[in-house]
Amino acid sequence: MNPALFPSLPIDGRLIIEVTQTYSVDTGKIFYACTVINKKDETQSAPIVFFIMRSLALDIPIRLEIPLRALLKGGRSLSGTYSVYLHGLFANNGEEFVYYGITKRGWNKRFMEHVTASTRDQSKRLFPRKLGDLIAARAAELNNISDSRPKLSGIITVLCAVGLSEDQAMDTEEYLVDKYSLSSKHGKGLNMIPGGYEGLRSLHKLSIQTGPDSIDTESREELLDRYLHEHPRIGVPNPGVAEKWNDPGYAEAVICGRENRLTADQVREIRYLSALGYPTDKIQEKVGAIDNGQVQRVLNQRTYSRIH
């Protein structure tokens, strides 16, 4: 997509580009329509593209949301970088389930792996189990089979952030999982362990061996799934970490216990110096943070939010 196509569009509010896919039953052809919307009441300002599709097998709407900058021709290469994604599952009874992850691979490949795990691999993790139940109930409904379970009525996948370094991705996932989708804290959350480096530490607490290739969410989940199969008596919503994660002392030890992570005292000092009016670069120098971004993420409550 060439940015030169949009030089005269209004920039007040948010620019949303909707690409809608439709299917003709008569001709068997797929058609696309593009609409540019200027949402002046949006709190977010970054331009975004909505790809609006429909599952032919389940007859439900699917929407993919991607930052416009990730699609612009001539933009920075995303090869070798991380993306943070959200999968939202909607049921016909009004329930909405959320799951966050990070990956270096395409969102569609990752989502299809979730679908495979939910329908064929007998996964014990929350996300594929919930997805499998919703799909099975919807399939039964389409085949006029009685099924009292909630049915899948829609899916939204959002690329929340793209082009991230490992630390940026892990920090972002940590924040989002803790705030929205950790199953022990949020009734409709489908992440079983904390996000980011805290998730790795949680696996270590369960004596699950992790390595340098365990950064992507899918790698951590493969380890967790193997553990759950080997320990079937463990309750699916709580693999031994969830209750401890609600203990501030435990959370502090996990959050701050990895190399290159800030200590709890450093986090508190960052907030204190900011309240005194110190600029970010001076705070970084005084507390010994890695860079200004690490300080800014603390001040924006994007990381270390459990430290008080």
Side-chain angles (χ1 to χ4, degrees), residues 136-285:
R138 174 57 178 162
E141 181 181 42
L142 292 173
N143 288 282
N144 297 315
I145 299 173
S146 178
D147 193 318
S148 61
R149 294 175 297 175
K151 285 80 173 169
L152 187 64
S153 62
I155 297 173
I156 289 182
T157 291
V158 182
L159 295 187
C160 309
V162 297
L164 303 180
S165 67
E166 176 188 316
D167 282 344
Q168 289 173 329
M170 295 294 263
D171 284 347
T172 301
E173 187 193 37
E174 167 199 321
Y175 168 78
L176 292 171
V177 169
D178 184 65
K179 187 169 183 179
Y180 298 112
S181 65
L182 187 61
S183 60
S184 63
K185 296 178 63 178
H186 307 284
K188 300 298 187 293
L190 299 178
N191 287 87
M192 296 180 67
I193 59 175
Y197 293 119
E198 291 78 1
L200 289 177
R201 289 294 301 273
S202 296
L203 293 177
H204 278 300
K205 289 286 185 179
L206 291 171
S207 298
I208 301 175
Q209 186 64 39
T210 62
D213 58 346
S214 302
I215 299 303
D216 285 15
T217 304
E218 51 261 34
S219 299
R220 285 175 272 151
E221 289 191 337
E222 287 174 3
L223 295 171
L224 178 60
D225 218 358
R226 192 180 312 152
Y227 180 84
L228 292 173
H229 277 285
E230 293 172 354
H231 300 78
R233 296 180 63 183
I234 295 177
V236 170
N238 178 7
V241 175
E243 290 183 5
K244 288 184 179 180
W245 189 244
N246 290 325
D247 174 9
Y250 171 81
E252 182 174 308
V254 171
I255 290 172
C256 301
R258 182 183 180 273
E259 185 180 357
N260 294 330
R261 299 288 284 171
L262 296 169
T263 66
D265 287 341
Q266 283 177 305
V267 171
R268 297 183 184 109
E269 187 177 1
I270 286 173
R271 294 171 181 156
Y272 172 69
L273 292 174
S274 177
L276 293 179
Y278 279 78
T280 302
D281 57 341
K282 293 297 182 183
I283 295 175
Q284 183 223 332
E285 181 181 340

Side-chain angles (χ1 to χ4, degrees), residues 20-32 54 56:
T20 304
Q21 178 192 70
T22 56
Y23 175 78
S24 171
V25 177
D26 296 331
T27 64
K29 293 183 178 180
I30 296 176
F31 301 92
Y32 298 91
R54 194 163 193 88
L56 298 180

